[in-house]
């Protein structure tokens, strides 16, 4: 039995039936991380001792006849903006290079309780601001499919750890595509559930009305297992609502595509894509037609404004969120200063990278007294317009279909300008603007790099999105 090739959904049953020990699985993954992560740079912190203790605890429960939990023995990585008690949480920044979390996030608490094995904290763009982990203070994460290329971002470490067999599942965060885009780059499945499905307690915020914890795995079924475990209300997070339909979903053999209706916005249809991405997308379109699903080209005029709207609102939320990192309460503090103001300025200048500084300045400018009504308030109105247009589309269609990202993962030494990176988010950011749900699934083509195809669903229709993605995934494998 090759332990690194086991599916997440297989492991709890094998562990409970004593066919494999959680400790053996954990040791196999820790060894693989030790041998390979110097190349990939997926992990910032490997929690070896914690992982071994969790594995031994799972095995002890099995021996004593106790229930070890629904995630028993499954190796999981956490994006390093998610709190894990007594472990560093750097957010990929010099600002928090030595910060140790005094408590568990709700996500970490649930994983521990249900017998999951937390292998460590994985790399991300600094404070989740970026699309390739190049803004991380700890260096860029490489793509396991081709280590000369980037793994995407901001949850690049999450996708790389899963694709590189350094974890089976990973929890990331998605503000504008940060779970789905790296999944498309690394050939994994990435799901951003409806906003409010999973508690954000203990997760460092980037933009509060956009941020959503999401899951990356090797298959739709594996992703569903962790999602179902994490969803739920939390008294520590007033925005958490749970997601009962998702929690109760079971994937039956009769899940099919026939009769489903997909909307393909004309703006997406006419978007220029890299050849492998276009090939993957065309393959899914042909599959849907063959399977009896309906795909219609639709007009969605509001999509023309998503990039500008997203960045105005997100940067407007980033600026005040970043104000807490002042060198006074926690985080980096400059060594030489004479006044309080100088301490603030030098601490932030030394500890923040260029992208974080850029977004703070943009957000501060947007929120300035004479510009807030001109930019921020208008963007809020446009966000409402985008939501309403999606609601109109979902009256006649089950899903909106698109590529996940327009380009293949680029070489590590290649550079995309900030504007090019922002514009490339055209397919993913509407999901966050509308507080919708979306999943990216990998689709093979004639190149060595699969393309990501995205299925977008209405609020709390995550279970329907999962079923459609599972049906497509299964059909592609036949």
């Amino acid at each position: 039995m090759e332990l690194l090739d086991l599916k997440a959904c297989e492991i709890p049953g094998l562990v409970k039936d004593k066919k494999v020990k959680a400790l053996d699985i954990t040791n196999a993954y820790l060894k693989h991380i030790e041998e390979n992560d110097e190349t990939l740079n997926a992990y910032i912190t490997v929690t070896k001792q914690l992982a071994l203790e969790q594995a031994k605890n799972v095995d002890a429960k099995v021996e004593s006849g106790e229930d070890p939990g629904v995630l028993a023995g499954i190796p999981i990585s956490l994006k390093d903006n998610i709190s894990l008690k007594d472990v560093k949480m750097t957010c990929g920044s010099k600002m928090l290079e030595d910060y140790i979390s005094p408590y568990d996030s709700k996500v970490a608490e649930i994983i521990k309780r249900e017998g999951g094995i937390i292998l460590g904290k994985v790399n991300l763009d600094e404070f989740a601001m970026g699309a390739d982990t190049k803004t991380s203070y700890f260096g860029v994460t490489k793509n396991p499919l081709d280590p000369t290329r980037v793994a995407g971002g901001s949850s690049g470490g999450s996708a790389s750890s899963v694709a590189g067999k350094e974890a089976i599942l990973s929890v990331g965060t998605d503000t504008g595509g940060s779970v789905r885009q790296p999944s498309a780059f690394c050939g994994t499945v990435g799901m951003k559930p409806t906003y409010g499905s999973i508690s954000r307690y203990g997760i460092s915020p980037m933009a509060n009305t956009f941020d959503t914890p999401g899951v990356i795995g090797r298959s739709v079924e594996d992703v569903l297992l962790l999602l179902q475990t994490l969803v739920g209300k939390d008294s520590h997070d007033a925005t958490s609502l749970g997601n009962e339909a998702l929690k109760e979903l079971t994937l039956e053999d009769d899940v099919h595509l026939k009769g489903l209706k997909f909307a393909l916005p004309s703006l997406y249809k006419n978007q220029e894509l890299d050849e492998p991405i276009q090939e993957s997308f065309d393959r899914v379109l042909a599959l849907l037609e063959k399977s009896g699903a309906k795909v219609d080209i639709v007009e969605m005029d509001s999509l023309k404004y998503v990039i500008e709207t997203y960045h105005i609102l997100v940067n407007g939320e980033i600026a005040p969120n970043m104000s807490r990192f002042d060198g006074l309460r926690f985080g980096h503090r400059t060594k030489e200063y004479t006044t309080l103001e100088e301490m603030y300025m030098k601490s932030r200048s030394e500890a923040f990278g260029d992208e974080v500084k850029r977004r703070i300045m943009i957000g501060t400018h947007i929120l300035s007294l004479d510009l807030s009504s001109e930019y921020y308030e208008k963007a809020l109105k446009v966000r409402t317009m985008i939501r309403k247009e999606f609601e109109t589309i979902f009256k006649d269609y089950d899903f909106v279909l698109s590529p996940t990202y327009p380009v293949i993962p680029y070489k590590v030494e290649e550079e995309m300008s900030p504007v090019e990176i922002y514009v490339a988010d055209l397919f993913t950011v509407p999901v966050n603007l509308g507080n919708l749900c979306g999943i990216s699934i990998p689709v093979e083509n004639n190149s060595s790099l699969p393309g990501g195809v995205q299925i977008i669903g209405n609020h709390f229709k995550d279970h329907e999105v999962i079923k459609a993605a599972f049906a497509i995934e299964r059909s592609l494998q036949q």
Side-chain angles (χ1 to χ4, degrees), residues 219-237:
S219 70
V220 174
E221 195 172 7
D222 282 358
V223 165
L224 175 62
L225 172 62
L226 185 51
L227 282 172
Q228 288 181 317
T229 308
L230 297 178
V231 297
K233 295 180 181 180
D234 178 19
S235 60
H236 291 103
D237 178 7

Side-chain angles (χ1 to χ4, degrees), residues 18 43 58 106 127 202 241 313 386 448:
K18 300 183 182 180
Y43 280 84
V58 166
K106 189 64 175 181
F127 287 103
L241 301 169
L313 295 177
I386 293 168
S448 59

Side-chain angles (χ1 to χ4, degrees), residues 299-319:
E299 296 300 323
M300 293 188 69
D301 292 337
S302 65
L303 293 179
K304 294 183 291 187
Y305 311 114
V306 297
I307 299 299
E308 294 87 345
T309 304
Y310 171 79
H311 284 286
I312 288 171
L313 295 177
V314 162
N315 289 323
E317 294 186 25
I318 285 171

